[in-house]
Amino acid sequence: MVTCSACADLSVTQLRKTDYNNPYPHHSNVGELRACADASTCGTCVLLWRTMDELTQLNSSKPAIRDHPSETYALYGQFYDDFDFKFGGPTESGEPTTFESAIKIEAKFLTYNLGLRRIGLRLFALEGKPAAQHFSERCTYFDPAPDLSVQLGQKWLGICFTHHEKCRPISSAMPTRVIALGIPSSKPPRLLVTNDLQEPYVALSYCWGQGATKSLMLRDENLQSMQEGIHENKLAKTYRETLQVARDLGFLYIWIDALCILQGNKSDWEYESTRMGEVYGNASLTLVAARSSDAMNGFLRNDFKPVADSCPFPYGRVDENGHEIDGLYVGLDRAWFKDTLDPDPVKTRGWCLQEAELSRRTLIYGRSGVSFQCKTAKFFEDETYKFYHKRVFDPKPEAALGPVPGRRPSDGLELLNHWYVNVLPDYTARALTNRGDIFAAITSLAKLAKQTIGGRYLAGAWESDLPRGLLWKPRYQTRWWVNPSKAETNLAPLKRSHPSQAPSWSWAAVEGPISHGWDNRKRWPPYPIEGRPDAFMVRPAHQDHTRWTTQDSCDADVLYMPQCELQMHGRLRRLRSTAIPQVRLLDWYREQGVKARQRPDDLPPQVRDVVLFEPLAVLENETSLLEGGCPFNQVVAFGVFDIAEEFVENIWALPATRDLGLILDRKEDGSFHRLGIFHLLNFQWFEAGEEELVRLV
């Protein structure tokens, strides 16, 4: 592809002379850039224009750059010399880097405000080319080198094994069965019962699809023959490629659920499914076939098609023989375009969440490239990395929160926060082939978390923090912000599970994405401590107010919990429901002169199907509590029904904290069924109610 006149002098060497305040002049305006790109004469211009055009169309509230052809812009090089961005420096290997800095080419618009991050392209080198000796960035979906992903994996594993103390497995114990890889040319792989064997092994996280059911699986009838040997040609392609990668990385054993758990054997499945914490937590590496939706398709080949192809980019330097150092390319900046893709298939499957959370190290084959994530850092193939603190599910019984709210060790608080803010919203947005697995698919994660959080795990809620555990909300009605670059497929309205898999108060009773609390966690009421016992407005009814249920059939190791009755003391109030457009609430805030950023977080701008609640009857001594509190007559709360179609006019309301409570329906036997969540607008009126025993089913 020919280089245009605007790019004739563009090179890495030239970019090193630029910065944000002294950019490189390119085409005179966006219109000329587009014309050059449309003519397909210059690869760099095609990349720059298509990136610019795609990114500016993601935000519908901003005019697209294609509608501003006269807009002027310039380019500059963004060089990441610091070791917080590019690995290979002293913080990782103990030796100075011998590679060039990570380089990003950014476009600076001189008058146009995109309202988004700056447009950028990134450089990478082809493996085996001269530029690879100077640039460590790679691009596996473009580079034809067959072993590139394995080479990257070996490098990342070496860094983690050597330097990351936190990433080492807690135990060397192996799963009940593994596959011994054997030698392809002479010794076939075979199923091995580990007994007391302790050796490093690789676990696989993947999507079954239809292919897994058509492949060879471990069953009672072939248990003996698979211990004698396995014909690889009978395995799904994902399994064969897993064997190949594990061998290339130097491992002798792998664990794949379909080949190591007896399929169709209920007792073996129930036993093994509760041991996923040990299986993935003790693995030296989890291989994640993230980009594949079906085991028959494999995962090593990446069929990702970018909006524009990568193209050669001049280094601007010569070697000792005077030859141009070639093999350097410019391509899309995957730091932004991977966020515009639909999630990798494994991120849509329920079982895969705990596999990712429990694993100490993961080598991920995603559509945007190959990456490596451990409990200390995350590495990308473009050689950017990020150190971060991720909640490690290490057992810490000394941090347990206790049977009732009290003083909270930091580890218990941190893990609870992670559970509410990250685990449940992610898990409920994923799909399960069998809804009966709703607790089984997360049981190992719950078992491990229990050792730090403490108390029983009651059908998805922690008994040690039960009032908050009840305060989940449907994300579809109450999400705070919508990413315009992503499809809203994970924001479908909730629907009731049939048959019921959990009590009505549990998030597992519905199908669809939920989140916790009404607003951000900074506004959540504080945990009750000495001097502030009134943060929660409900209290357990049993064993000196320490237990919320008399049932013993609910806990973290229980796979099926369709029923669990809670008994608590609370202040029930009768309310009348009125559905109202969101705009009326927003208008009231505007009438009061409250600016949007000063408005309480209890009213997300994306709330749908909002309902106002006012008392069915007002006692004479309560009249003063309702005066001047709300612009809508005697409204004391607003909220949403979990399922909009389940709206009823007369409801019962149970405040759980000073801010939030549950919308309930009373059944004929006197027990209550959850219908939704509400936000208190008049705490004093709710507080004036008489405390009584509430049975929640």
Side-chain angles (χ1 to χ4, degrees), residues 5 65 78 90 213-214 246 283 348:
S5 58
I65 193 64
Q78 186 77 15
T213 60
K214 300 175 182 178
T348 68

Side-chain angles (χ1 to χ4, degrees), residues 453-510:
I453 293 175
R456 292 183 294 175
Y457 179 66
L458 305 178
W462 297 102
E463 188 171 28
S464 60
D465 193 51
L466 194 125
R468 292 203 217 209
L470 298 174
L471 298 177
W472 53 269
K473 62 186 177 71
R475 202 187 313 170
Y476 177 77
Q477 284 104 314
T478 57
R479 67 200 190 283
W480 176 257
W481 182 75
V482 178
N483 185 342
S485 69
K486 293 183 179 180
E488 294 189 24
T489 54
N490 65 337
L491 287 176
L494 298 184
K495 60 181 180 180
R496 191 73 59 186
S497 287
H498 296 290
S500 177
Q501 305 297 333
S504 70
W505 49 263
S506 170
W507 51 264
V510 295

